[in-house]
Amino acid sequence: QVRLVESGGGLVQAGASLRLSCAASLVTFSDYGMAWFRRTPGAEREFVAAIARSGGNAYYADSVKGRFTISRDNAKRSLYLQMNSLKPEDTAGYYCAARLRRTDYVMTEGSEYNYWGQGTQVTVSS
């Protein structure tokens, strides 16, 4: 059974940094494309960042480009999201997602992922 567990969320002030982690129970983690999405109550799920199986390619939403960095450690079966210069509008539940892929294609649509974590809350105060 695939399990994704996020951690690292919290309450911070605007301008601060946080690093989110996602631990995966995927034996062949390196075969999975991974991503971070976020959602606020009453809003649609929003793409944040995605990374290819190898870690060689990554893609970011315009709203986080230059501030957030997605990375992965295939040996540790872990996905990360380094978030710098946080803004109040970054407040949301953050979810990691996984999808088995045979190529290094980077997926940015939520519908492309079939495994999801339970999320970790990030709250940024002004």
PDB file of all heavy atoms in Angstrom, residues 77-117:
ATOM      1  N   ARG A  77      13.787   8.123  -0.317  1.00  0.00           N
ATOM      2  CA  ARG A  77      12.358   8.054  -0.674  1.00  0.00           C
ATOM      3  C   ARG A  77      11.610   9.270  -0.135  1.00  0.00           C
ATOM      4  O   ARG A  77      10.522   9.139   0.461  1.00  0.00           O
ATOM      5  CB  ARG A  77      11.725   6.779  -0.130  1.00  0.00           C
ATOM      6  CG  ARG A  77      12.380   5.508  -0.623  1.00  0.00           C
ATOM      7  CD  ARG A  77      11.755   4.296   0.004  1.00  0.00           C
ATOM      8  NE  ARG A  77      12.527   3.095  -0.253  1.00  0.00           N
ATOM      9  CZ  ARG A  77      12.257   1.915   0.289  1.00  0.00           C
ATOM     10  NH1 ARG A  77      11.219   1.796   1.109  1.00  0.00           N
ATOM     11  NH2 ARG A  77      13.011   0.879   0.025  1.00  0.00           N
ATOM     12  N   SER A  78      12.177  10.416  -0.342  1.00  0.00           N
ATOM     13  CA  SER A  78      11.604  11.637   0.213  1.00  0.00           C
ATOM     14  C   SER A  78      11.545  12.756  -0.808  1.00  0.00           C
ATOM     15  O   SER A  78      12.408  12.887  -1.673  1.00  0.00           O
ATOM     16  CB  SER A  78      12.423  12.098   1.428  1.00  0.00           C
ATOM     17  OG  SER A  78      12.310  11.187   2.503  1.00  0.00           O
ATOM     18  N   LEU A  79      10.505  13.554  -0.665  1.00  0.00           N
ATOM     19  CA  LEU A  79      10.275  14.738  -1.476  1.00  0.00           C
ATOM     20  C   LEU A  79      10.309  15.942  -0.548  1.00  0.00           C
ATOM     21  O   LEU A  79       9.866  15.851   0.604  1.00  0.00           O
ATOM     22  CB  LEU A  79       8.906  14.637  -2.153  1.00  0.00           C
ATOM     23  CG  LEU A  79       8.448  15.820  -2.991  1.00  0.00           C
ATOM     24  CD1 LEU A  79       9.249  15.883  -4.286  1.00  0.00           C
ATOM     25  CD2 LEU A  79       6.951  15.710  -3.279  1.00  0.00           C
ATOM     26  N   TYR A  80      10.814  17.064  -1.059  1.00  0.00           N
ATOM     27  CA  TYR A  80      10.929  18.262  -0.239  1.00  0.00           C
ATOM     28  C   TYR A  80      10.388  19.479  -0.966  1.00  0.00           C
ATOM     29  O   TYR A  80      10.349  19.525  -2.202  1.00  0.00           O
ATOM     30  CB  TYR A  80      12.403  18.519   0.133  1.00  0.00           C
ATOM     31  CG  TYR A  80      13.081  17.338   0.774  1.00  0.00           C
ATOM     32  CD1 TYR A  80      13.924  16.521   0.036  1.00  0.00           C
ATOM     33  CD2 TYR A  80      12.868  17.033   2.116  1.00  0.00           C
ATOM     34  CE1 TYR A  80      14.547  15.420   0.619  1.00  0.00           C
ATOM     35  CE2 TYR A  80      13.473  15.929   2.700  1.00  0.00           C
ATOM     36  CZ  TYR A  80      14.314  15.132   1.942  1.00  0.00           C
ATOM     37  OH  TYR A  80      14.917  14.033   2.520  1.00  0.00           O
ATOM     38  N   LEU A  81       9.996  20.477  -0.181  1.00  0.00           N
ATOM     39  CA  LEU A  81       9.622  21.772  -0.731  1.00  0.00           C
ATOM     40  C   LEU A  81      10.208  22.839   0.186  1.00  0.00           C
ATOM     41  O   LEU A  81       9.745  23.017   1.311  1.00  0.00           O
ATOM     42  CB  LEU A  81       8.107  21.929  -0.834  1.00  0.00           C
ATOM     43  CG  LEU A  81       7.651  23.216  -1.525  1.00  0.00           C
ATOM     44  CD1 LEU A  81       8.013  23.183  -3.015  1.00  0.00           C
ATOM     45  CD2 LEU A  81       6.144  23.397  -1.362  1.00  0.00           C
ATOM     46  N   GLN A  82      11.242  23.512  -0.303  1.00  0.00           N
ATOM     47  CA  GLN A  82      11.826  24.618   0.431  1.00  0.00           C
ATOM     48  C   GLN A  82      11.063  25.872   0.061  1.00  0.00           C
ATOM     49  O   GLN A  82      11.011  26.241  -1.116  1.00  0.00           O
ATOM     50  CB  GLN A  82      13.309  24.773   0.075  1.00  0.00           C
ATOM     51  CG  GLN A  82      13.985  25.940   0.757  1.00  0.00           C
ATOM     52  CD  GLN A  82      14.079  25.781   2.262  1.00  0.00           C
ATOM     53  OE1 GLN A  82      14.408  24.712   2.757  1.00  0.00           O
ATOM     54  NE2 GLN A  82      13.797  26.859   2.995  1.00  0.00           N
ATOM     55  N   MET A  83      10.483  26.517   1.063  1.00  0.00           N
ATOM     56  CA  MET A  83       9.650  27.692   0.827  1.00  0.00           C
ATOM     57  C   MET A  83      10.299  28.896   1.512  1.00  0.00           C
ATOM     58  O   MET A  83      10.418  28.918   2.743  1.00  0.00           O
ATOM     59  CB  MET A  83       8.242  27.459   1.382  1.00  0.00           C
ATOM     60  CG  MET A  83       7.583  26.212   0.829  1.00  0.00           C
ATOM     61  SD  MET A  83       5.855  26.040   1.350  1.00  0.00           S
ATOM     62  CE  MET A  83       6.050  25.861   3.103  1.00  0.00           C
ATOM     63  N   ASN A  84      10.711  29.843   0.711  1.00  0.00           N
ATOM     64  CA  ASN A  84      11.335  31.068   1.225  1.00  0.00           C
ATOM     65  C   ASN A  84      10.445  32.270   0.950  1.00  0.00           C
ATOM     66  O   ASN A  84       9.548  32.211   0.108  1.00  0.00           O
ATOM     67  CB  ASN A  84      12.707  31.280   0.574  1.00  0.00           C
ATOM     68  CG  ASN A  84      13.675  30.158   0.866  1.00  0.00           C
ATOM     69  OD1 ASN A  84      13.627  29.522   1.921  1.00  0.00           O
ATOM     70  ND2 ASN A  84      14.560  29.896  -0.078  1.00  0.00           N
ATOM     71  N   SER A  85      10.697  33.345   1.661  1.00  0.00           N
ATOM     72  CA  SER A  85       9.943  34.595   1.461  1.00  0.00           C
ATOM     73  C   SER A  85       8.448  34.337   1.464  1.00  0.00           C
ATOM     74  O   SER A  85       7.715  34.789   0.568  1.00  0.00           O
ATOM     75  CB  SER A  85      10.363  35.263   0.140  1.00  0.00           C
ATOM     76  OG  SER A  85      11.754  35.520   0.137  1.00  0.00           O
ATOM     77  N   LEU A  86       7.981  33.623   2.463  1.00  0.00           N
ATOM     78  CA  LEU A  86       6.571  33.245   2.516  1.00  0.00           C
ATOM     79  C   LEU A  86       5.675  34.466   2.640  1.00  0.00           C
ATOM     80  O   LEU A  86       6.020  35.467   3.287  1.00  0.00           O
ATOM     81  CB  LEU A  86       6.338  32.291   3.676  1.00  0.00           C
ATOM     82  CG  LEU A  86       6.773  30.847   3.397  1.00  0.00           C
ATOM     83  CD1 LEU A  86       6.935  30.067   4.687  1.00  0.00           C
ATOM     84  CD2 LEU A  86       5.779  30.160   2.481  1.00  0.00           C
ATOM     85  N   LYS A  87       4.516  34.364   2.009  1.00  0.00           N
ATOM     86  CA  LYS A  87       3.524  35.428   2.006  1.00  0.00           C
ATOM     87  C   LYS A  87       2.231  34.912   2.622  1.00  0.00           C
ATOM     88  O   LYS A  87       1.979  33.706   2.592  1.00  0.00           O
ATOM     89  CB  LYS A  87       3.253  35.868   0.564  1.00  0.00           C
ATOM     90  CG  LYS A  87       4.480  36.322  -0.200  1.00  0.00           C
ATOM     91  CD  LYS A  87       4.115  36.642  -1.643  1.00  0.00           C
ATOM     92  CE  LYS A  87       5.329  37.074  -2.439  1.00  0.00           C
ATOM     93  NZ  LYS A  87       4.984  37.379  -3.852  1.00  0.00           N
ATOM     94  N   PRO A  88       1.383  35.801   3.135  1.00  0.00           N
ATOM     95  CA  PRO A  88       0.102  35.339   3.683  1.00  0.00           C
ATOM     96  C   PRO A  88      -0.716  34.538   2.672  1.00  0.00           C
ATOM     97  O   PRO A  88      -1.421  33.601   3.053  1.00  0.00           O
ATOM     98  CB  PRO A  88      -0.592  36.654   4.050  1.00  0.00           C
ATOM     99  CG  PRO A  88       0.517  37.582   4.380  1.00  0.00           C
ATOM    100  CD  PRO A  88       1.612  37.226   3.404  1.00  0.00           C
ATOM    101  N   GLU A  89      -0.608  34.866   1.402  1.00  0.00           N
ATOM    102  CA  GLU A  89      -1.364  34.133   0.373  1.00  0.00           C
ATOM    103  C   GLU A  89      -0.835  32.722   0.139  1.00  0.00           C
ATOM    104  O   GLU A  89      -1.452  31.947  -0.600  1.00  0.00           O
ATOM    105  CB  GLU A  89      -1.396  34.910  -0.945  1.00  0.00           C
ATOM    106  CG  GLU A  89      -0.050  35.374  -1.446  1.00  0.00           C
ATOM    107  CD  GLU A  89       0.244  36.812  -1.062  1.00  0.00           C
ATOM    108  OE1 GLU A  89      -0.026  37.199   0.108  1.00  0.00           O
ATOM    109  OE2 GLU A  89       0.744  37.549  -1.932  1.00  0.00           O
ATOM    110  N   ASP A  90       0.285  32.376   0.758  1.00  0.00           N
ATOM    111  CA  ASP A  90       0.776  30.999   0.699  1.00  0.00           C
ATOM    112  C   ASP A  90       0.099  30.106   1.735  1.00  0.00           C
ATOM    113  O   ASP A  90       0.317  28.888   1.744  1.00  0.00           O
ATOM    114  CB  ASP A  90       2.294  30.957   0.925  1.00  0.00           C
ATOM    115  CG  ASP A  90       3.082  31.631  -0.183  1.00  0.00           C
ATOM    116  OD1 ASP A  90       2.712  31.452  -1.358  1.00  0.00           O
ATOM    117  OD2 ASP A  90       4.062  32.333   0.139  1.00  0.00           O
ATOM    118  N   THR A  91      -0.701  30.703   2.601  1.00  0.00           N
ATOM    119  CA  THR A  91      -1.410  29.931   3.624  1.00  0.00           C
ATOM    120  C   THR A  91      -2.330  28.909   2.973  1.00  0.00           C
ATOM    121  O   THR A  91      -3.168  29.261   2.142  1.00  0.00           O
ATOM    122  CB  THR A  91      -2.227  30.872   4.527  1.00  0.00           C
ATOM    123  OG1 THR A  91      -1.330  31.711   5.250  1.00  0.00           O
ATOM    124  CG2 THR A  91      -3.086  30.069   5.499  1.00  0.00           C
ATOM    125  N   ALA A  92      -2.146  27.633   3.324  1.00  0.00           N
ATOM    126  CA  ALA A  92      -2.924  26.551   2.725  1.00  0.00           C
ATOM    127  C   ALA A  92      -2.512  25.231   3.346  1.00  0.00           C
ATOM    128  O   ALA A  92      -1.507  25.150   4.055  1.00  0.00           O
ATOM    129  CB  ALA A  92      -2.694  26.491   1.214  1.00  0.00           C
ATOM    130  N   GLY A  93      -3.283  24.204   3.047  1.00  0.00           N
ATOM    131  CA  GLY A  93      -2.852  22.838   3.312  1.00  0.00           C
ATOM    132  C   GLY A  93      -2.009  22.404   2.131  1.00  0.00           C
ATOM    133  O   GLY A  93      -2.415  22.597   0.987  1.00  0.00           O
ATOM    134  N   TYR A  94      -0.843  21.821   2.395  1.00  0.00           N
ATOM    135  CA  TYR A  94       0.067  21.405   1.330  1.00  0.00           C
ATOM    136  C   TYR A  94       0.089  19.886   1.257  1.00  0.00           C
ATOM    137  O   TYR A  94       0.256  19.214   2.285  1.00  0.00           O
ATOM    138  CB  TYR A  94       1.470  21.957   1.577  1.00  0.00           C
ATOM    139  CG  TYR A  94       1.603  23.417   1.228  1.00  0.00           C
ATOM    140  CD1 TYR A  94       1.013  24.394   2.029  1.00  0.00           C
ATOM    141  CD2 TYR A  94       2.272  23.822   0.078  1.00  0.00           C
ATOM    142  CE1 TYR A  94       1.096  25.738   1.700  1.00  0.00           C
ATOM    143  CE2 TYR A  94       2.367  25.166  -0.255  1.00  0.00           C
ATOM    144  CZ  TYR A  94       1.780  26.118   0.556  1.00  0.00           C
ATOM    145  OH  TYR A  94       1.867  27.444   0.224  1.00  0.00           O
ATOM    146  N   TYR A  95      -0.051  19.372   0.046  1.00  0.00           N
ATOM    147  CA  TYR A  95      -0.177  17.945  -0.183  1.00  0.00           C
ATOM    148  C   TYR A  95       0.862  17.466  -1.190  1.00  0.00           C
ATOM    149  O   TYR A  95       1.068  18.119  -2.220  1.00  0.00           O
ATOM    150  CB  TYR A  95      -1.564  17.617  -0.732  1.00  0.00           C
ATOM    151  CG  TYR A  95      -2.680  18.035   0.177  1.00  0.00           C
ATOM    152  CD1 TYR A  95      -3.175  19.336   0.161  1.00  0.00           C
ATOM    153  CD2 TYR A  95      -3.262  17.126   1.067  1.00  0.00           C
ATOM    154  CE1 TYR A  95      -4.187  19.728   1.003  1.00  0.00           C
ATOM    155  CE2 TYR A  95      -4.282  17.509   1.913  1.00  0.00           C
ATOM    156  CZ  TYR A  95      -4.733  18.812   1.879  1.00  0.00           C
ATOM    157  OH  TYR A  95      -5.744  19.195   2.721  1.00  0.00           O
ATOM    158  N   CYS A  96       1.490  16.348  -0.885  1.00  0.00           N
ATOM    159  CA  CYS A  96       2.362  15.757  -1.892  1.00  0.00           C
ATOM    160  C   CYS A  96       1.592  14.688  -2.656  1.00  0.00           C
ATOM    161  O   CYS A  96       0.627  14.091  -2.139  1.00  0.00           O
ATOM    162  CB  CYS A  96       3.640  15.194  -1.285  1.00  0.00           C
ATOM    163  SG  CYS A  96       3.466  13.720  -0.288  1.00  0.00           S
ATOM    164  N   ALA A  97       1.993  14.481  -3.889  1.00  0.00           N
ATOM    165  CA  ALA A  97       1.314  13.554  -4.776  1.00  0.00           C
ATOM    166  C   ALA A  97       2.339  12.750  -5.556  1.00  0.00           C
ATOM    167  O   ALA A  97       3.443  13.231  -5.821  1.00  0.00           O
ATOM    168  CB  ALA A  97       0.402  14.312  -5.729  1.00  0.00           C
ATOM    169  N   ALA A  98       1.944  11.538  -5.953  1.00  0.00           N
ATOM    170  CA  ALA A  98       2.855  10.648  -6.671  1.00  0.00           C
ATOM    171  C   ALA A  98       2.128   9.935  -7.806  1.00  0.00           C
ATOM    172  O   ALA A  98       0.926   9.655  -7.729  1.00  0.00           O
ATOM    173  CB  ALA A  98       3.440   9.607  -5.710  1.00  0.00           C
ATOM    174  N   ARG A  99       2.906   9.651  -8.853  1.00  0.00           N
ATOM    175  CA  ARG A  99       2.355   8.881  -9.978  1.00  0.00           C
ATOM    176  C   ARG A  99       3.494   8.103 -10.619  1.00  0.00           C
ATOM    177  O   ARG A  99       4.549   8.661 -10.920  1.00  0.00           O
ATOM    178  CB  ARG A  99       1.721   9.815 -11.013  1.00  0.00           C
ATOM    179  CG  ARG A  99       1.310   9.134 -12.318  1.00  0.00           C
ATOM    180  CD  ARG A  99       0.137   8.191 -12.140  1.00  0.00           C
ATOM    181  NE  ARG A  99      -0.213   7.496 -13.363  1.00  0.00           N
ATOM    182  CZ  ARG A  99      -1.153   7.905 -14.211  1.00  0.00           C
ATOM    183  NH1 ARG A  99      -1.825   9.018 -13.977  1.00  0.00           N
ATOM    184  NH2 ARG A  99      -1.411   7.208 -15.280  1.00  0.00           N
ATOM    185  N   LEU A 100       3.274   6.826 -10.826  1.00  0.00           N
ATOM    186  CA  LEU A 100       4.271   5.999 -11.491  1.00  0.00           C
ATOM    187  C   LEU A 100       4.441   6.464 -12.937  1.00  0.00           C
ATOM    188  O   LEU A 100       3.449   6.635 -13.650  1.00  0.00           O
ATOM    189  CB  LEU A 100       3.832   4.543 -11.455  1.00  0.00           C
ATOM    190  CG  LEU A 100       4.774   3.514 -12.070  1.00  0.00           C
ATOM    191  CD1 LEU A 100       6.053   3.424 -11.245  1.00  0.00           C
ATOM    192  CD2 LEU A 100       4.090   2.147 -12.138  1.00  0.00           C
ATOM    193  N   ARG A 101       5.683   6.695 -13.329  1.00  0.00           N
ATOM    194  CA  ARG A 101       5.961   7.143 -14.685  1.00  0.00           C
ATOM    195  C   ARG A 101       7.103   6.346 -15.270  1.00  0.00           C
ATOM    196  O   ARG A 101       8.011   5.923 -14.570  1.00  0.00           O
ATOM    197  CB  ARG A 101       6.353   8.635 -14.690  1.00  0.00           C
ATOM    198  CG  ARG A 101       5.269   9.594 -14.290  1.00  0.00           C
ATOM    199  CD  ARG A 101       4.148   9.668 -15.292  1.00  0.00           C
ATOM    200  NE  ARG A 101       4.616   9.923 -16.645  1.00  0.00           N
ATOM    201  CZ  ARG A 101       3.818  10.252 -17.642  1.00  0.00           C
ATOM    202  NH1 ARG A 101       2.522  10.355 -17.423  1.00  0.00           N
ATOM    203  NH2 ARG A 101       4.306  10.467 -18.836  1.00  0.00           N
ATOM    204  N   ARG A 102       7.064   6.173 -16.592  1.00  0.00           N
ATOM    205  CA  ARG A 102       8.153   5.463 -17.283  1.00  0.00           C
ATOM    206  C   ARG A 102       9.145   6.434 -17.913  1.00  0.00           C
ATOM    207  O   ARG A 102      10.157   6.023 -18.474  1.00  0.00           O
ATOM    208  CB  ARG A 102       7.585   4.548 -18.352  1.00  0.00           C
ATOM    209  CG  ARG A 102       6.649   3.504 -17.794  1.00  0.00           C
ATOM    210  CD  ARG A 102       6.278   2.453 -18.828  1.00  0.00           C
ATOM    211  NE  ARG A 102       5.281   1.522 -18.321  1.00  0.00           N
ATOM    212  CZ  ARG A 102       5.539   0.530 -17.497  1.00  0.00           C
ATOM    213  NH1 ARG A 102       6.768   0.316 -17.086  1.00  0.00           N
ATOM    214  NH2 ARG A 102       4.580  -0.255 -17.080  1.00  0.00           N
ATOM    215  N   THR A 103       8.813   7.730 -17.834  1.00  0.00           N
ATOM    216  CA  THR A 103       9.712   8.740 -18.402  1.00  0.00           C
ATOM    217  C   THR A 103       9.929   9.846 -17.382  1.00  0.00           C
ATOM    218  O   THR A 103       9.347   9.825 -16.296  1.00  0.00           O
ATOM    219  CB  THR A 103       9.110   9.352 -19.676  1.00  0.00           C
ATOM    220  OG1 THR A 103       7.960  10.142 -19.307  1.00  0.00           O
ATOM    221  CG2 THR A 103       8.696   8.271 -20.661  1.00  0.00           C
ATOM    222  N   ASP A 104      10.736  10.833 -17.748  1.00  0.00           N
ATOM    223  CA  ASP A 104      11.012  11.964 -16.873  1.00  0.00           C
ATOM    224  C   ASP A 104      10.021  13.108 -17.090  1.00  0.00           C
ATOM    225  O   ASP A 104      10.287  14.245 -16.723  1.00  0.00           O
ATOM    226  CB  ASP A 104      12.432  12.476 -17.109  1.00  0.00           C
ATOM    227  CG  ASP A 104      13.334  12.213 -15.913  1.00  0.00           C
ATOM    228  OD1 ASP A 104      12.901  11.481 -14.997  1.00  0.00           O
ATOM    229  OD2 ASP A 104      14.452  12.746 -15.880  1.00  0.00           O
ATOM    230  N   TYR A 105       8.893  12.801 -17.668  1.00  0.00           N
ATOM    231  CA  TYR A 105       7.861  13.812 -17.921  1.00  0.00           C
ATOM    232  C   TYR A 105       7.394  14.407 -16.606  1.00  0.00           C
ATOM    233  O   TYR A 105       7.146  13.690 -15.639  1.00  0.00           O
ATOM    234  CB  TYR A 105       6.697  13.163 -18.664  1.00  0.00           C
ATOM    235  CG  TYR A 105       5.537  14.071 -18.920  1.00  0.00           C
ATOM    236  CD1 TYR A 105       5.617  15.101 -19.853  1.00  0.00           C
ATOM    237  CD2 TYR A 105       4.344  13.895 -18.231  1.00  0.00           C
ATOM    238  CE1 TYR A 105       4.548  15.929 -20.094  1.00  0.00           C
ATOM    239  CE2 TYR A 105       3.264  14.721 -18.465  1.00  0.00           C
ATOM    240  CZ  TYR A 105       3.368  15.739 -19.397  1.00  0.00           C
ATOM    241  OH  TYR A 105       2.303  16.563 -19.631  1.00  0.00           O
ATOM    242  N   VAL A 106       7.250  15.725 -16.553  1.00  0.00           N
ATOM    243  CA  VAL A 106       6.812  16.416 -15.344  1.00  0.00           C
ATOM    244  C   VAL A 106       5.316  16.695 -15.443  1.00  0.00           C
ATOM    245  O   VAL A 106       4.865  17.335 -16.388  1.00  0.00           O
ATOM    246  CB  VAL A 106       7.580  17.739 -15.149  1.00  0.00           C
ATOM    247  CG1 VAL A 106       7.082  18.454 -13.893  1.00  0.00           C
ATOM    248  CG2 VAL A 106       9.072  17.467 -15.039  1.00  0.00           C
ATOM    249  N   MET A 107       4.563  16.220 -14.480  1.00  0.00           N
ATOM    250  CA  MET A 107       3.108  16.354 -14.491  1.00  0.00           C
ATOM    251  C   MET A 107       2.693  17.506 -13.597  1.00  0.00           C
ATOM    252  O   MET A 107       3.135  17.592 -12.449  1.00  0.00           O
ATOM    253  CB  MET A 107       2.477  15.049 -13.998  1.00  0.00           C
ATOM    254  CG  MET A 107       2.838  13.845 -14.839  1.00  0.00           C
ATOM    255  SD  MET A 107       2.399  12.291 -14.021  1.00  0.00           S
ATOM    256  CE  MET A 107       3.711  12.177 -12.798  1.00  0.00           C
ATOM    257  N   THR A 108       1.814  18.367 -14.111  1.00  0.00           N
ATOM    258  CA  THR A 108       1.387  19.541 -13.357  1.00  0.00           C
ATOM    259  C   THR A 108      -0.101  19.556 -13.036  1.00  0.00           C
ATOM    260  O   THR A 108      -0.573  20.465 -12.353  1.00  0.00           O
ATOM    261  CB  THR A 108       1.746  20.825 -14.117  1.00  0.00           C
ATOM    262  OG1 THR A 108       1.039  20.838 -15.360  1.00  0.00           O
ATOM    263  CG2 THR A 108       3.239  20.906 -14.383  1.00  0.00           C
ATOM    264  N   GLU A 109      -0.847  18.580 -13.531  1.00  0.00           N
ATOM    265  CA  GLU A 109      -2.279  18.518 -13.260  1.00  0.00           C
ATOM    266  C   GLU A 109      -2.557  17.529 -12.131  1.00  0.00           C
ATOM    267  O   GLU A 109      -2.030  16.418 -12.124  1.00  0.00           O
ATOM    268  CB  GLU A 109      -3.028  18.066 -14.517  1.00  0.00           C
ATOM    269  CG  GLU A 109      -2.908  19.046 -15.691  1.00  0.00           C
ATOM    270  CD  GLU A 109      -3.633  20.349 -15.422  1.00  0.00           C
ATOM    271  OE1 GLU A 109      -4.620  20.343 -14.655  1.00  0.00           O
ATOM    272  OE2 GLU A 109      -3.184  21.385 -15.958  1.00  0.00           O
ATOM    273  N   GLY A 110      -3.421  17.928 -11.216  1.00  0.00           N
ATOM    274  CA  GLY A 110      -3.757  17.032 -10.111  1.00  0.00           C
ATOM    275  C   GLY A 110      -4.341  15.725 -10.561  1.00  0.00           C
ATOM    276  O   GLY A 110      -4.110  14.678  -9.947  1.00  0.00           O
ATOM    277  N   SER A 111      -5.093  15.752 -11.658  1.00  0.00           N
ATOM    278  CA  SER A 111      -5.738  14.546 -12.168  1.00  0.00           C
ATOM    279  C   SER A 111      -4.726  13.522 -12.665  1.00  0.00           C
ATOM    280  O   SER A 111      -5.074  12.354 -12.867  1.00  0.00           O
ATOM    281  CB  SER A 111      -6.714  14.902 -13.299  1.00  0.00           C
ATOM    282  OG  SER A 111      -6.020  15.579 -14.338  1.00  0.00           O
ATOM    283  N   GLU A 112      -3.503  13.934 -12.871  1.00  0.00           N
ATOM    284  CA  GLU A 112      -2.465  13.011 -13.353  1.00  0.00           C
ATOM    285  C   GLU A 112      -1.873  12.179 -12.214  1.00  0.00           C
ATOM    286  O   GLU A 112      -1.129  11.237 -12.470  1.00  0.00           O
ATOM    287  CB  GLU A 112      -1.360  13.804 -14.046  1.00  0.00           C
ATOM    288  CG  GLU A 112      -1.808  14.507 -15.323  1.00  0.00           C
ATOM    289  CD  GLU A 112      -0.690  15.301 -15.970  1.00  0.00           C
ATOM    290  OE1 GLU A 112      -0.281  16.339 -15.405  1.00  0.00           O
ATOM    291  OE2 GLU A 112      -0.222  14.875 -17.044  1.00  0.00           O
ATOM    292  N   TYR A 113      -2.166  12.548 -10.981  1.00  0.00           N
ATOM    293  CA  TYR A 113      -1.586  11.848  -9.837  1.00  0.00           C
ATOM    294  C   TYR A 113      -2.621  10.934  -9.204  1.00  0.00           C
ATOM    295  O   TYR A 113      -3.801  11.287  -9.106  1.00  0.00           O
ATOM    296  CB  TYR A 113      -1.056  12.851  -8.813  1.00  0.00           C
ATOM    297  CG  TYR A 113       0.146  13.602  -9.324  1.00  0.00           C
ATOM    298  CD1 TYR A 113       0.014  14.764 -10.073  1.00  0.00           C
ATOM    299  CD2 TYR A 113       1.431  13.114  -9.087  1.00  0.00           C
ATOM    300  CE1 TYR A 113       1.122  15.431 -10.577  1.00  0.00           C
ATOM    301  CE2 TYR A 113       2.545  13.779  -9.576  1.00  0.00           C
ATOM    302  CZ  TYR A 113       2.388  14.932 -10.316  1.00  0.00           C
ATOM    303  OH  TYR A 113       3.487  15.575 -10.812  1.00  0.00           O
ATOM    304  N   ASN A 114      -2.168   9.792  -8.748  1.00  0.00           N
ATOM    305  CA  ASN A 114      -3.115   8.861  -8.148  1.00  0.00           C
ATOM    306  C   ASN A 114      -2.815   8.504  -6.702  1.00  0.00           C
ATOM    307  O   ASN A 114      -3.568   7.740  -6.090  1.00  0.00           O
ATOM    308  CB  ASN A 114      -3.213   7.575  -8.997  1.00  0.00           C
ATOM    309  CG  ASN A 114      -1.860   6.961  -9.289  1.00  0.00           C
ATOM    310  OD1 ASN A 114      -0.827   7.476  -8.900  1.00  0.00           O
ATOM    311  ND2 ASN A 114      -1.877   5.839  -9.986  1.00  0.00           N
ATOM    312  N   TYR A 115      -1.729   9.043  -6.150  1.00  0.00           N
ATOM    313  CA  TYR A 115      -1.460   8.841  -4.735  1.00  0.00           C
ATOM    314  C   TYR A 115      -1.282  10.207  -4.078  1.00  0.00           C
ATOM    315  O   TYR A 115      -0.554  11.059  -4.607  1.00  0.00           O
ATOM    316  CB  TYR A 115      -0.200   7.996  -4.528  1.00  0.00           C
ATOM    317  CG  TYR A 115      -0.316   6.606  -5.090  1.00  0.00           C
ATOM    318  CD1 TYR A 115       0.448   6.200  -6.183  1.00  0.00           C
ATOM    319  CD2 TYR A 115      -1.198   5.682  -4.529  1.00  0.00           C
ATOM    320  CE1 TYR A 115       0.352   4.926  -6.697  1.00  0.00           C
ATOM    321  CE2 TYR A 115      -1.307   4.402  -5.040  1.00  0.00           C
ATOM    322  CZ  TYR A 115      -0.535   4.035  -6.133  1.00  0.00           C
ATOM    323  OH  TYR A 115      -0.652   2.771  -6.639  1.00  0.00           O
ATOM    324  N   TRP A 116      -1.918  10.362  -2.917  1.00  0.00           N
ATOM    325  CA  TRP A 116      -1.904  11.643  -2.221  1.00  0.00           C
ATOM    326  C   TRP A 116      -1.643  11.427  -0.734  1.00  0.00           C
ATOM    327  O   TRP A 116      -2.074  10.433  -0.150  1.00  0.00           O
ATOM    328  CB  TRP A 116      -3.251  12.349  -2.387  1.00  0.00           C
ATOM    329  CG  TRP A 116      -3.520  12.751  -3.795  1.00  0.00           C
ATOM    330  CD1 TRP A 116      -4.055  11.975  -4.790  1.00  0.00           C
ATOM    331  CD2 TRP A 116      -3.254  14.023  -4.380  1.00  0.00           C
ATOM    332  NE1 TRP A 116      -4.125  12.691  -5.953  1.00  0.00           N
ATOM    333  CE2 TRP A 116      -3.654  13.956  -5.736  1.00  0.00           C
ATOM    334  CE3 TRP A 116      -2.723  15.215  -3.902  1.00  0.00           C
ATOM    335  CZ2 TRP A 116      -3.528  15.033  -6.614  1.00  0.00           C
ATOM    336  CZ3 TRP A 116      -2.596  16.291  -4.761  1.00  0.00           C
ATOM    337  CH2 TRP A 116      -2.995  16.199  -6.101  1.00  0.00           C
ATOM    338  N   GLY A 117      -0.974  12.411  -0.143  1.00  0.00           N
ATOM    339  CA  GLY A 117      -0.799  12.407   1.300  1.00  0.00           C
ATOM    340  C   GLY A 117      -1.968  13.097   1.981  1.00  0.00           C
ATOM    341  O   GLY A 117      -2.889  13.584   1.324  1.00  0.00           O
TER     342      GLY A 117
END
